Amino acid sequence: QLQLQESGPGLVKPSETLSLTCTVSGGSISSSSYYWGWIRQPPGKGLEWIGSIYYSGSTYYNPSLKSRVTISVDTSKNQFSLKLSSVTAADTAVYYCARQRWYQLPDAFDIWGQGTMVTVSS
Amino acid sequence: AIQLTQSPSSLSASVGDRVTITCRASQGISSALAWYQQKPGKAPKLLIYDASSLESGVPSRFSGSGSGTDFTLTISSLQPEDFATYYCQQFNSYPHVYSFGQGTKLEIK
C-alpha cells in the first residue's frame, strides 16, 4: 500500500533554511487524482497546512508562510520537497507530508507520513 | 481566509457515551470539510470527508453531518480507543487555503 516517509535534518539554525523531502512508495506521485501536501504541528499545538503540489508542479501555499515556502516535486524519484527559509524558533514543529485527494476539487488528506520533528535552535 | 472554530476545546466523556463535536466556518464552504483523529505521537487519521462520507475502514460509530457553515462529528458509542484529539479541516477552493480547526481533546471521565 502507499506509504510516505519524511526525511531531513532534525536541527536547523535560526535564519537558515529548513529542507525536508517526502518519499512516496507503493504508488506513483504522478497520479492525476492527487496533490501532495505538507502540514506541521508545533509541540502541544494544533495542525497548520503549509502547502500542496501537483505532479506537474502546480502549487498552493498558506498565505501566512508563502513568502518563505517553496514546495517542489521530482517525479523521477517519486519525491516532493519542502523548503522554508529564514526560520525562527516559531518554526519548531513536527512536519508531516500527506497525500491530498483531488477529484476536480480539493479534498481531504487521506494518507500521512509518520512525521519528523524539526527543532530550530543555535 | 476562512477560519474554523471547534467546540468544545476539550470534553470529558465515558465509554458508551454519545459525543458530538461542532465545527463552524467563518463563511460557507458547502460540504468541503473533513474530520481527523489524532493520538499522541501519531499522525492524524482521516475519519470523514466531504462532511458526511465515512472513510474506508473507519468504524460506523463515527458520523459527520452539516453543510455551509455548521458541521458536526458524532461518535455514537464511545470506545476506549476513541479518546484522542479531533480536528476539522476545510477545503474551500477560493482561495485555496485549507485551514484546520483548533482541535477538540476528548478525554476519559
Side-chain angles (χ1 to χ4, degrees), chain A residues 41 60 101-102 107 109, chain B residues 36 38 50 55 91 96 98:
Chain A
Q41 185 171 38
Y60 295 103
R101 293 175 179 162
W102 198 294
D107 210 322
F109 291 93
Chain B
Y36 302 89
Q38 188 180 33
D50 295 346
E55 176 69 356
F91 297 95
H96 284 276
Y98 313 128

Side-chain angles (χ1 to χ4, degrees), chain A residues 55-72:
Chain A
Y55 75 92
S56 64
S58 172
T59 54
Y60 295 103
Y61 295 136
N62 188 327
S64 69
L65 297 168
K66 187 174 183 177
S67 63
R68 299 193 293 130
V69 170
T70 301
I71 297 176
S72 58

Side-chain angles (χ1 to χ4, degrees), chain B residues 34-105:
Chain B
W35 290 96
Y36 302 89
Q37 176 193 68
Q38 188 180 33
K39 296 182 178 179
K42 300 294 186 181
K45 174 187 175 183
L46 177 63
L47 299 175
I48 302 288
Y49 63 96
D50 295 346
S52 60
S53 296
L54 188 68
E55 176 69 356
S56 176
V58 174
S60 59
R61 63 181 179 273
F62 291 92
S63 64
S65 65
S67 67
T69 60
D70 294 312
F71 301 86
T72 59
L73 173 70
T74 299
I75 310 172
S76 60
S77 179
L78 273 174
Q79 298 302 300
E81 61 268 28
D82 299 337
F83 292 95
T85 300
Y86 293 84
Y87 294 93
C88 57
Q89 184 185 21
Q90 63 83 20
F91 297 95
N92 194 62
S93 297
Y94 301 103
H96 284 276
V97 180
Y98 313 128
S99 48
F100 287 91
Q102 81 276 18
T104 295
K105 187 173 184 178

Side-chain angles (χ1 to χ4, degrees), chain A residues 6-7 10 35 37 47 54 58 60 69 76-77 99 104 112:
Chain A
E6 306 89 350
S7 59
Y35 268 63
L47 300 164
Y54 195 52
S58 172
Y60 295 103
V69 170
S76 67
K77 295 182 178 179
R99 186 179 78 171
Q104 298 183 334
W112 294 62

Side-chain angles (χ1 to χ4, degrees), chain B residues 20-38:
Chain B
T20 297
I21 299 169
T22 297
C23 180
R24 175 163 289 175
S26 58
Q27 65 188 70
I29 57 171
S30 185
S31 298
L33 188 104
W35 290 96
Y36 302 89
Q37 176 193 68
Q38 188 180 33

